[in-house]
Amino acid sequence: METAEPVAPDMTEDIDEILVTGEEIRTRLAELGKLLDADYAGESPLLVGVLKGAFMLMSDLVRHMHTPVSVDFMACSSYGSATRTSGVVRILKDLDTDIEGRHVLLVEDIVDSGLTLDYLMKNLRARRPASLEVLALLTKPAARRVEVPIRYRGFEVPDVFVVGYGLDYAERYRNLPFVGTLKPEVYQG
Ligand code: IMP
C-alpha cells in the first residue's frame, strides 16, 4: 500500500569516507574484551562511559567481556565550537557510584585534543580509585594538546572530524554503525 509518510533522507548520503567499518570495530572490541578480561581477572571493575558519545561503545564492549563489571556514566559538556573543544569542561551528570578503592576504566569515544580526558582523569583521581585506566575507541594523535595516558586503544584516525558509532555532528549520525567523515557541504548547511 502507498503511504503519504515523508521518507527521511538516508544519513549515509552525507558520508564522504568510511574510516572504520562496523566489522573492524567488532573485531577490535572482541580483542579488547579479551585483554580486559585478562587484565581485570579476579576483579570487578567499574566501567565509566562518557556520554553521549560512548553509549554504543560501552554497550558493545561489555558484551565482549566475561569479567563481572559494573557500569556507570558521566556526562560533560565542553565549551567550544561545533567541532573543536575549548578544554573548559562542565560535568552535567556525575557518577552514581562512589569509586574510592574501585578499579575504574574510563570508556571514551574519541580522544582529540585530550583536554576533556585530562580534566576527567584529574577529577576521578581525586576520588581515590584503586586504579584508573582509559579505553578510547578512537584517538587523533595529531590533534593532541595535552598528553593523556590511554591504556587501551581501538583505532587511530587522522585529525579530521568524524561521526558515527556514537559520535555526532549537531546530534546527528550517532546511530551509524561505522565511523566516517562528512561531506564538506554538510557543514556548510
Ligand atoms: P577533546 O577534549 O578535544 O579530546 O574532545 C573530546 C570530545 O569532543 C569527545 O569526547 C567527543 O565528544 C568530541 N569530539 C572530538 N573529536 C570529535 C570528532 O571528530 N567527532 C565527534 N566528536 C568529537
Side-chain angles (χ1 to χ4, degrees), residues 4-153:
E5 291 260 323
V7 179
D10 188 337
M11 288 179 300
T12 55
E13 284 170 13
D14 293 346
I15 298 300
D16 197 18
E17 193 189 346
I18 296 179
L19 297 183
V20 190
T21 66
E23 184 62 39
E24 287 170 326
I25 294 172
R26 268 192 298 282
T27 304
R28 185 68 187 129
L29 291 189
E31 290 167 3
L32 287 171
K34 278 204 188 107
L35 202 56
L36 292 171
D37 276 342
D39 289 357
Y40 288 102
E43 308 288 350
S44 49
L46 175 70
L47 270 55
V48 173
V50 184
L51 294 173
K52 300 174 190 170
F55 81 98
M56 203 176 276
L57 168 63
M58 185 74 144
S59 125
D60 285 343
L61 179 68
V62 292
R63 278 180 275 192
H64 285 290
M65 294 180 69
H66 299 291
T67 305
V69 302
S70 315
V71 298
D72 203 343
F73 292 93
M74 285 180 90
C76 48
S77 76
S78 43
Y79 299 98
S81 67
T83 59
R84 275 279 171 241
T85 49
S86 65
V88 181
V89 180
R90 189 160 58 106
I91 293 181
L92 303 175
K93 185 222 168 286
D94 206 342
L95 296 175
D96 299 329
T97 322
D98 179 4
I99 63 168
E100 185 168 353
R102 298 288 308 268
H103 292 286
V104 176
L105 177 68
L106 195 55
V107 178
E108 267 273 25
D109 49 2
I110 187 163
V111 181
D112 183 7
S113 67
L115 293 168
T116 306
L117 183 57
D118 186 55
Y119 173 86
L120 285 176
M121 294 285 282
K122 284 183 182 138
N123 184 293
L124 294 180
R125 236 183 245 123
R127 307 182 198 192
R128 300 195 296 164
S131 67
L132 179 62
E133 302 293 350
V134 177
L135 180 148
L137 179 71
L138 305 169
T139 63
K140 284 185 196 170
R144 200 76 82 250
R145 283 168 58 191
V146 49
E147 259 333 295
V148 277
I150 305 170
R151 176 102 185 228
Y152 308 96
R153 291 160 200 266

